[in-house]
Amino acid sequence: KNQVEQSPQSLIILEGKNCTLQCNYTVSPFSNLRWYKQDTGRGPVSLTIMTFSENTKSNGRYTATLDADTKQSSLHITASQLSDSASYICVVRTANSGYALNFGKGTSLLVTP
Amino acid sequence: DTGVSQDPRHKITKRGQNVTFRCDPISEHNRLYWYRQTLGQGPEFLTYFQNEAQLEKSRLLSDRFSAERPKGSFSTLEIQRTEQGDSAMYLCASSSGQDTTYEQYFGPGTRLTVT
């Protein structure tokens, strides 16, 4: 069973609208959580990274939240643009491994004109 | 461009053939990772190098797969006797040993299609 679950699986929104993507994880012990954006046919690009003590982090129109108690994170996209169309992947790193990352399956976002 | 590069970007091969992919990490990064990603899924870990030492291999890495990083710089991933199930995007990532967050920087990937 995947230790990082994302929802929804896919999402279609109109350009200019906001949206929120969800990530729930069971990975333990927790070290940090990242959100990546992956354009079709490209490698993932990091958007935000949050440690246990951080609740919110922004990167332009992207705002990530983390509730380490409930093991939930969200990625909020404001004023969506066509270029936001991509897969958004939630990745959780455990505290006792230098390399092991736990990837979610991603949410596929399509922004339409 | 000083990011992670991968070559080739696309590879089409017939079942049973061998293929080799190359990854050039960010120059000062001593850690290098290979992942496989199939359609609609997140990347799956294959193997990890710290300098030239291969420290971890996933069970996904069957005996048909071999990875090397001979001088601790670029790495190659070879798949022997390819099968249709090997069709996927192969991603390489690198990270710095000085970065306590272990941030991994991904390359653009090599898309393999086995016919």
mmCIF file of all heavy atoms in Angstrom, chain A residues 46-63:
data_model
loop_
_atom_site.group_PDB
_atom_site.id
_atom_site.type_symbol
_atom_site.label_atom_id
_atom_site.label_comp_id
_atom_site.label_asym_id
_atom_site.label_seq_id
_atom_site.Cartn_x
_atom_site.Cartn_y
_atom_site.Cartn_z
ATOM 1 N N SER A 46 10.968 20.807 -8.169
ATOM 2 C CA SER A 46 10.522 21.088 -6.810
ATOM 3 C C SER A 46 9.813 22.443 -6.718
ATOM 4 O O SER A 46 10.283 23.444 -7.261
ATOM 5 C CB SER A 46 11.722 21.068 -5.863
ATOM 6 O OG SER A 46 11.320 21.344 -4.546
ATOM 7 N N LEU A 47 8.674 22.463 -6.022
ATOM 8 C CA LEU A 47 7.936 23.706 -5.780
ATOM 9 C C LEU A 47 8.176 24.206 -4.357
ATOM 10 O O LEU A 47 8.467 25.377 -4.135
ATOM 11 C CB LEU A 47 6.437 23.486 -5.983
ATOM 12 C CG LEU A 47 5.963 23.170 -7.395
ATOM 13 C CD1 LEU A 47 4.471 22.863 -7.388
ATOM 14 C CD2 LEU A 47 6.264 24.320 -8.341
ATOM 15 N N THR A 48 7.982 23.322 -3.398
ATOM 16 C CA THR A 48 8.156 23.688 -1.985
ATOM 17 C C THR A 48 8.700 22.502 -1.221
ATOM 18 O O THR A 48 8.539 21.353 -1.626
ATOM 19 C CB THR A 48 6.824 24.092 -1.322
ATOM 20 O OG1 THR A 48 5.967 22.950 -1.283
ATOM 21 C CG2 THR A 48 6.149 25.230 -2.044
ATOM 22 N N ILE A 49 9.334 22.789 -0.103
ATOM 23 C CA ILE A 49 9.755 21.758 0.833
ATOM 24 C C ILE A 49 9.446 22.251 2.237
ATOM 25 O O ILE A 49 9.695 23.426 2.549
ATOM 26 C CB ILE A 49 11.251 21.405 0.683
ATOM 27 C CG1 ILE A 49 11.653 20.367 1.728
ATOM 28 C CG2 ILE A 49 12.123 22.640 0.754
ATOM 29 C CD1 ILE A 49 13.047 19.808 1.503
ATOM 30 N N MET A 50 8.859 21.397 3.054
ATOM 31 C CA MET A 50 8.492 21.780 4.414
ATOM 32 C C MET A 50 8.976 20.742 5.409
ATOM 33 O O MET A 50 8.856 19.535 5.162
ATOM 34 C CB MET A 50 6.970 21.937 4.530
ATOM 35 C CG MET A 50 6.437 23.164 3.818
ATOM 36 S SD MET A 50 4.680 23.358 4.075
ATOM 37 C CE MET A 50 4.088 21.947 3.168
ATOM 38 N N THR A 51 9.506 21.222 6.518
ATOM 39 C CA THR A 51 9.901 20.336 7.597
ATOM 40 C C THR A 51 8.785 20.271 8.637
ATOM 41 O O THR A 51 7.761 20.945 8.505
ATOM 42 C CB THR A 51 11.192 20.829 8.250
ATOM 43 O OG1 THR A 51 10.975 22.160 8.742
ATOM 44 C CG2 THR A 51 12.324 20.865 7.233
ATOM 45 N N PHE A 52 9.030 19.507 9.674
ATOM 46 C CA PHE A 52 8.011 19.240 10.691
ATOM 47 C C PHE A 52 7.457 20.520 11.305
ATOM 48 O O PHE A 52 6.267 20.619 11.607
ATOM 49 C CB PHE A 52 8.637 18.369 11.785
ATOM 50 C CG PHE A 52 7.658 17.919 12.825
ATOM 51 C CD1 PHE A 52 6.952 16.738 12.655
ATOM 52 C CD2 PHE A 52 7.445 18.656 13.984
ATOM 53 C CE1 PHE A 52 6.049 16.318 13.609
ATOM 54 C CE2 PHE A 52 6.543 18.242 14.942
ATOM 55 C CZ PHE A 52 5.841 17.066 14.760
ATOM 56 N N SER A 53 8.318 21.512 11.476
ATOM 57 C CA SER A 53 7.915 22.719 12.200
ATOM 58 C C SER A 53 7.247 23.771 11.317
ATOM 59 O O SER A 53 6.782 24.798 11.805
ATOM 60 C CB SER A 53 9.131 23.357 12.876
ATOM 61 O OG SER A 53 10.101 23.688 11.903
ATOM 62 N N GLU A 54 7.184 23.529 10.025
ATOM 63 C CA GLU A 54 6.618 24.521 9.114
ATOM 64 C C GLU A 54 5.182 24.163 8.774
ATOM 65 O O GLU A 54 4.889 23.029 8.419
ATOM 66 C CB GLU A 54 7.449 24.612 7.843
ATOM 67 C CG GLU A 54 8.870 25.112 8.104
ATOM 68 C CD GLU A 54 9.718 25.091 6.857
ATOM 69 O OE1 GLU A 54 9.897 23.989 6.296
ATOM 70 O OE2 GLU A 54 10.187 26.156 6.439
ATOM 71 N N ASN A 55 4.296 25.151 8.859
ATOM 72 C CA ASN A 55 2.887 24.926 8.567
ATOM 73 C C ASN A 55 2.500 25.387 7.168
ATOM 74 O O ASN A 55 1.591 24.830 6.561
ATOM 75 C CB ASN A 55 2.007 25.667 9.579
ATOM 76 C CG ASN A 55 2.268 25.211 10.988
ATOM 77 O OD1 ASN A 55 2.674 25.986 11.833
ATOM 78 N ND2 ASN A 55 2.053 23.940 11.238
ATOM 79 N N THR A 56 3.165 26.436 6.702
ATOM 80 C CA THR A 56 2.828 27.020 5.411
ATOM 81 C C THR A 56 4.091 27.484 4.714
ATOM 82 O O THR A 56 5.009 28.010 5.357
ATOM 83 C CB THR A 56 1.891 28.242 5.591
ATOM 84 O OG1 THR A 56 0.714 27.842 6.285
ATOM 85 C CG2 THR A 56 1.493 28.813 4.249
ATOM 86 N N LYS A 57 4.114 27.276 3.410
ATOM 87 C CA LYS A 57 5.219 27.806 2.619
ATOM 88 C C LYS A 57 4.685 28.179 1.247
ATOM 89 O O LYS A 57 3.930 27.404 0.641
ATOM 90 C CB LYS A 57 6.337 26.788 2.496
ATOM 91 C CG LYS A 57 7.556 27.333 1.743
ATOM 92 C CD LYS A 57 8.777 26.498 1.977
ATOM 93 C CE LYS A 57 9.383 26.760 3.324
ATOM 94 N NZ LYS A 57 10.697 26.102 3.475
ATOM 95 N N SER A 58 5.094 29.336 0.775
ATOM 96 C CA SER A 58 4.605 29.824 -0.513
ATOM 97 C C SER A 58 5.729 29.927 -1.526
ATOM 98 O O SER A 58 6.887 30.187 -1.175
ATOM 99 C CB SER A 58 3.934 31.194 -0.335
ATOM 100 O OG SER A 58 2.751 31.082 0.410
ATOM 101 N N ASN A 59 5.355 29.760 -2.778
ATOM 102 C CA ASN A 59 6.264 29.924 -3.901
ATOM 103 C C ASN A 59 5.438 30.544 -5.021
ATOM 104 O O ASN A 59 4.812 29.835 -5.808
ATOM 105 C CB ASN A 59 6.854 28.577 -4.308
ATOM 106 C CG ASN A 59 7.774 28.689 -5.522
ATOM 107 O OD1 ASN A 59 7.994 29.775 -6.048
ATOM 108 N ND2 ASN A 59 8.298 27.566 -5.956
ATOM 109 N N GLY A 60 5.412 31.877 -5.021
ATOM 110 C CA GLY A 60 4.587 32.551 -6.017
ATOM 111 C C GLY A 60 3.119 32.262 -5.795
ATOM 112 O O GLY A 60 2.598 32.455 -4.703
ATOM 113 N N ARG A 61 2.463 31.744 -6.823
ATOM 114 C CA ARG A 61 1.032 31.429 -6.715
ATOM 115 C C ARG A 61 0.775 30.077 -6.052
ATOM 116 O O ARG A 61 -0.382 29.674 -5.904
ATOM 117 C CB ARG A 61 0.420 31.460 -8.112
ATOM 118 C CG ARG A 61 0.434 32.842 -8.768
ATOM 119 C CD ARG A 61 -0.191 32.807 -10.163
ATOM 120 N NE ARG A 61 0.583 31.963 -11.068
ATOM 121 C CZ ARG A 61 0.224 30.741 -11.414
ATOM 122 N NH1 ARG A 61 -0.908 30.220 -10.963
ATOM 123 N NH2 ARG A 61 0.970 30.052 -12.246
ATOM 124 N N TYR A 62 1.805 29.395 -5.672
ATOM 125 C CA TYR A 62 1.675 28.094 -5.018
ATOM 126 C C TYR A 62 1.860 28.260 -3.510
ATOM 127 O O TYR A 62 2.848 28.858 -3.066
ATOM 128 C CB TYR A 62 2.735 27.110 -5.522
ATOM 129 C CG TYR A 62 2.689 26.837 -7.003
ATOM 130 C CD1 TYR A 62 3.598 27.445 -7.866
ATOM 131 C CD2 TYR A 62 1.750 25.971 -7.545
ATOM 132 C CE1 TYR A 62 3.576 27.192 -9.225
ATOM 133 C CE2 TYR A 62 1.720 25.710 -8.909
ATOM 134 C CZ TYR A 62 2.633 26.327 -9.740
ATOM 135 O OH TYR A 62 2.598 26.072 -11.082
ATOM 136 N N THR A 63 0.926 27.734 -2.728
ATOM 137 C CA THR A 63 1.035 27.750 -1.273
ATOM 138 C C THR A 63 0.795 26.346 -0.747
ATOM 139 O O THR A 63 -0.258 25.759 -1.002
ATOM 140 C CB THR A 63 0.023 28.707 -0.643
ATOM 141 O OG1 THR A 63 0.274 30.037 -1.107
ATOM 142 C CG2 THR A 63 0.148 28.687 0.885
#
